[in-house]
Amino acid sequence: MASILLKDVTIADERKDVFIDKGRIEKIRPSGSCVDWDIAGDCEVYNCSGKVAIPGFINMHTHAGMSLMRGIGEDMLFHDWLSKIWKIEANFDHEYVYWAAKVACLEMIRTGTTTFNDQYWFFQSCQKAAAETGIRPAVGYDIIDHGDPEEAKRQMEQCEQKYEEVADLWDKEGSIYELAFHAIYSVSEPMMIWASDFARKHDIPLHIHLCETQKEVEDCKAAHGGLTPVEYLESLGILGPELLAAHCLWLSEHDIELLAKYGVHCIHNINSNTKLSSGYRFLYNELRDAGVNICIGTDGCASSNNLDILEAMKTSALFQKAWRGDPKALPLPELLDMATVNGAKALRLNSGRLVEGALADISLVETDSTYFLSPGPFLANLVYSAHSDCIVSVIAGGRFVMRDREIPGEKEVLHEARKVLSQIKTL
Ligand SMILES: [Zn+2]
């Protein structure tokens, strides 16, 4: 892997030279320092004058395989939408998911994401697509048995077998292996307990949907003696720091205490939640004040329609300010943490910060545009004014995955993905 020298790049309003080697940020020094650096071997020099470096985003909840399903489930309530999606997905295979995931990776790169936490069938296709494009997936076997004991048994066996098969492909900083189960209403109790034990035994994350709709909470209370989904998972011994819980939208005070007590990581997905009218009163302040690590995700394109973290950041902040009637709600530095370091913490990665020793996951923002022509702070202009097309170059794990808006192989991916579109039989 060639090393990279970012010359005269702006980081937190200061101009710096940055040396990247073996996938990590080796040196960050004042601009001009690099003339004295003795850089041996192959080094790519990139002039960053006028560009600002930000940490690569970490999209903590996606379904990359859904990237070709935009617009086919509009104006529908969550549970109607989900049963429609499941019927369509029954027709998918490895080939389909591979090209859909490739498209998702292209879009994530364009919008500055360098790590994503995925949940989908045919996870090896997603891992392959991400590895080829150069961004880092957290992905693994996805469990959903719909309460069928035979199906549960089959999936347990397959999960064990897949884990052995893929063990060599995974390394902590390239691809992160995890286990997923869909949700408490689509997975049987023994299967959820088995999955939790499996994740703990192998020391891997467990990625789930939790408290996404009011119906999920009400159904759970009715079925389990008044327990909320969070209380129900606690009763099964499933809450723990390996749990990556997407949505967490309908929570009681006691739920928040439990999520904090067990170190569960919560992932906010505002665009998906609002579009499916699942809700918008995400209890950010309450979760944060309880000490819960809060991350951000887009969710899949069948509900959020794109994978643009910058857009999700803006919408998250706007909704917090609006429903709380408090303009100070979800301030910019916390919003940036949700999209970077908090995700890194959940996945146990040394990423999400531009510091020496961290993984070189970096986006470069072009500021020569109307959006940045202001004396206001860069972060405000980035989140509230600009669009993600201001991101011109992206480095993931020390490699350029987009350079001056060029992503290698992009045309071929779009061409091949068009061919598998016919597998989507809209109902
Ligand atoms: Zn989801």
Side-chain angles (χ1 to χ4, degrees):
M1 187 192 304
S3 57
I4 298 173
L5 172 60
L6 301 179
K7 274 179 88 168
D8 196 26
V9 66
T10 300
I11 300 176
D13 297 326
E14 291 181 8
R15 289 163 68 173
K16 304 281 189 185
D17 290 338
V18 176
F19 183 58
I20 294 164
D21 194 29
K22 298 186 181 70
R24 294 191 179 269
I25 300 172
E26 280 291 314
K27 281 188 215 178
I28 303 179
R29 302 291 152 81
S31 182
S33 307
C34 68
V35 292
D36 299 324
W37 294 351
D38 182 19
I39 298 170
D42 195 9
C43 180
E44 225 173 327
V45 179
Y46 189 64
N47 188 343
C48 295
S49 298
K51 294 185 181 65
V52 178
I54 57 170
F57 295 134
I58 301 179
N59 187 344
M60 281 298 291
H61 183 62
T62 60
H63 307 283
M66 282 183 165
S67 76
L68 307 178
M69 298 172 81
R70 298 165 216 255
I72 62 175
E74 302 303 342
D75 304 334
M76 295 180 80
L77 270 176
F78 176 79
H79 290 280
D80 300 333
W81 168 87
L82 187 59
S83 52
K84 175 175 179 172
I85 295 296
W86 278 342
K87 282 181 199 150
I88 296 170
E89 286 174 337
N91 204 35
F92 294 170
D93 57 15
H94 274 289
E95 174 83 358
Y96 172 87
V97 172
Y98 171 73
W99 289 111
K102 281 274 213 184
V103 168
C105 290
L106 286 180
E107 186 165 313
M108 286 191 271
I109 290 170
R110 280 225 171 271
T111 51
T113 288
T114 50
T115 301
F116 66 103
N117 182 38
D118 206 70
Q119 183 182 122
Y120 213 61
W121 292 292
F122 306 111
F123 69 91
Q124 282 155 291
S125 297
C126 177
Q127 188 275 336
K128 183 167 180 266
E132 286 171 2
T133 44
I135 61 173
R136 184 182 305 111
V139 69
Y141 195 85
D142 187 12
I143 288 166
I144 181 165
D145 66 3
H146 295 293
D148 176 352
E150 283 304 307
E151 184 59 20
K153 189 164 167 283
R154 191 188 72 79
Q155 293 195 12
M156 285 175 198
E157 284 168 10
Q158 210 178 42
C159 180
E160 293 275 10
Q161 184 200 334
K162 293 278 179 196
Y163 187 76
E164 297 303 320
E165 262 176 43
V166 300
D168 292 349
L169 281 177
W170 263 261
D171 69 82
K172 266 267 181 279
E173 293 172 354
S175 299
I176 300 162
Y177 189 76
E178 68 179 22
L179 186 61
F181 74 73
H182 179 260
I184 60 163
Y185 54 84
S186 52
V187 181
S188 63
E189 204 170 278
M191 190 80 224
M192 287 193 285
I193 294 168
W194 183 90
S196 172
D197 290 345
F198 186 92
R200 284 178 187 157
K201 182 171 124 195
H202 294 287
D203 194 24
I204 56 176
L206 180 59
H207 184 189
I208 67 167
H209 296 87
L210 183 63
C211 298
E212 183 169 1
T213 63
Q214 203 168 11
K215 178 175 165 25
E216 177 184 334
V217 177
E218 295 310 320
D219 289 353
C220 180
K221 282 182 176 172
H224 302 291
L227 295 180
T228 66
V230 176
E231 290 165 345
Y232 173 52
L233 289 183
E234 194 210 17
S235 75
L236 302 179
I238 289 176
L239 297 184
E242 69 284 355
L243 208 60
L244 313 177
H247 304 295
C248 300
L249 192 58
W250 294 91
L251 301 174
S252 67
E253 268 180 43
H254 186 229
D255 290 340
I256 293 172
E257 280 169 29
L258 290 175
L259 293 169
K261 178 180 164 190
Y262 288 95
V264 175
H265 307 273
C266 293
I267 305 153
H268 184 33
N269 300 274
I270 189 67
N271 288 330
S272 170
N273 296 151
T274 50
K275 183 133 163 301
L276 291 164
S277 69
S278 301
Y280 58 91
R281 291 173 184 256
F282 180 69
L283 297 170
Y284 176 79
N285 294 3
E286 294 76 2
L287 285 161
R288 177 201 58 196
D289 295 347
V292 175
N293 182 43
I294 311 167
C295 313
I296 200 163
T298 55
D299 213 342
C301 286
S303 60
S304 72
N305 295 57
N306 70 34
L307 300 163
D308 188 338
I309 282 288
L310 206 49
E311 183 184 293
M313 289 164 74
K314 179 174 178 175
T315 318
S316 299
L318 297 186
F319 269 92
Q320 286 296 311
K321 292 172 196 307
W323 80 260
R324 290 176 182 277
D326 176 9
K328 290 193 170 66
L330 197 35
L332 284 161
E334 291 176 32
L335 196 54
L336 183 64
D337 284 353
M338 282 172 80
T340 55
V341 279
N342 295 3
K345 186 179 171 192
L347 295 173
R348 290 180 271 169
L349 281 175
N350 183 7
S351 177
R353 288 182 307 149
L354 301 183
V355 294
E356 292 180 1
L359 288 167
D361 298 333
I362 303 170
S363 292
L364 295 159
V365 175
E366 177 62 69
T367 55
D368 187 16
S369 73
T370 56
Y371 303 122
F372 295 94
L373 203 59
S374 115
F378 166 77
L379 196 53
N381 294 335
L382 178 71
V383 174
Y384 291 128
S385 308
H387 303 286
S388 55
D389 61 0
C390 66
I391 295 167
V392 290
S393 296
V394 176
I395 296 164
R399 283 195 183 92
F400 273 104
V401 290
M402 176 167 78
R403 188 175 173 143
D404 298 324
R405 296 198 163 90
E406 287 286 321
I407 303 177
E410 183 169 23
K411 277 204 172 78
E412 191 219 346
V413 172
L414 296 179
H415 178 74
E416 294 298 323
R418 250 175 231 121
K419 293 186 195 167
V420 297
L421 269 180
S422 60
Q423 274 179 253
I424 304 178
K425 309 276 185 236
T426 51
L427 307 167

